[in-house]
Amino acid sequence: MNTPRSVVISPSGLRLGVASVIALLPGVLAFGVSFGAVAAKMGLSLVDAAMMSGLVFAGAAQFVAISAWQMDWTWAGAITICLLVGIVNSRLILMGASLRPTFSALAPGPAYGLLALNTDASWIMMMRLEGKTEHGDVGAYVGAAAALWAGWLLATIAGWWLGALISDPRRYALDLVMIIFFACILVPLWKGPRKALPWLVALAVALITQSVTSSQIYILFGSLSGAIAGAFLDE
């Protein structure tokens, strides 16, 4: 059993983390600009949009939340949006568990605090750097997460001002940025046609559900159906 010790953030680790996500920053920035523009069109103030990106820091969940945003909230609406965001973010449970070796030498407080900065991009980066950093040194993770957080926040602010000037974000395909971003993330996860079956199940169920209901519940049904299909497919 490892004894928890202080957080080790080496300068070399910080530099490695920042350098590792430079290639991802253009996509993250475009993603953030898109969110800021959509947030402006949904009636959020600049402070609201910036606080959501700065405190929540969860791109996909923020898009889901903003797409189901209501000016006049009801209990049903609040519960629905919480369920949707929870389902979207449930992937972070397994992603966080896979980072346990990175944080195993840290005390629970610092470890859980750092997990609050975990995103798809930083997680992928840490998986690629596995074995390349010293045990207990979270400098690479902090460097990557800090760079992504700063880029996301600044892009949201820029996007909000852009959204205030653009009457229809869809005219410039800003509504497709999230789809393109996550499609690119799926590429390194490809493990053959058979392993892609749950993706197809989730897509089919989501499209069918969306065709019969105007709510965002199709995300919930698509996610659950894909997870169930993956569970039966797993040998």
Side-chain angles (χ1 to χ4, degrees):
M1 180 176 179
N2 292 324
T3 301
R5 57 192 176 96
S6 301
V7 178
V8 178
I9 304 177
S10 68
S12 60
L14 287 172
R15 291 192 295 269
L16 177 62
V18 173
S20 299
V21 297
I22 287 179
L24 297 175
L25 282 178
V28 172
L29 293 176
F31 199 6
V33 168
S34 178
F35 170 75
V38 173
K41 291 305 172 185
M42 292 300 293
L44 269 69
S45 68
L46 176 59
V47 174
D48 291 336
M51 287 187 65
M52 180 181 286
S53 286
L55 299 177
V56 177
F57 187 41
Q62 289 180 222
F63 266 97
V64 170
I66 203 67
S67 65
W69 201 261
Q70 302 176 19
M71 298 308 296
D72 298 318
W73 285 96
T74 62
W75 279 108
I79 293 174
T80 298
I81 199 172
C82 287
L83 287 174
L84 292 174
V85 171
I87 289 297
V88 171
N89 278 344
S90 62
R91 71 192 188 284
L92 295 173
I93 298 175
L94 294 179
M95 290 165 61
S98 67
L99 291 175
R100 182 177 178 84
T102 303
F103 299 147
S104 61
L106 307 181
Y112 290 127
L114 289 173
L115 279 176
L117 297 175
N118 188 28
T119 63
D120 298 278
S122 58
W123 176 78
I124 289 176
M125 183 276 299
M126 289 303 297
M127 293 298 101
R128 292 177 176 176
L129 293 179
E130 187 174 5
K132 296 182 180 180
T133 58
E134 295 184 7
H135 181 66
D137 183 2
V138 295
Y141 176 86
V142 173
L148 293 170
W149 179 86
W152 178 252
L153 179 59
L154 293 175
T156 296
I157 295 173
W160 189 92
W161 286 108
L162 183 64
L165 300 174
I166 297 177
S167 58
D168 185 8
R170 291 175 296 182
R171 180 180 179 183
Y172 301 93
L174 292 179
D175 57 324
L176 294 177
V177 172
M178 181 175 69
I179 298 174
I180 296 172
F181 182 81
F182 279 97
C184 292
I185 285 181
L186 285 176
V187 173
L189 299 179
W190 175 262
K191 298 184 183 300
R194 185 171 182 273
K195 291 294 185 179
L197 182 60
W199 301 0
L200 296 177
V201 171
L203 174 62
V205 172
L207 290 175
I208 293 173
T209 305
Q210 186 184 36
S211 67
V212 298
T213 177
S214 58
S215 70
Q216 302 293 321
I217 200 69
Y218 70 90
I219 300 176
L220 174 63
F221 281 90
S223 301
L224 290 177
S225 60
I228 293 173
F232 280 104
L233 184 65
D234 191 358
E235 298 177 352

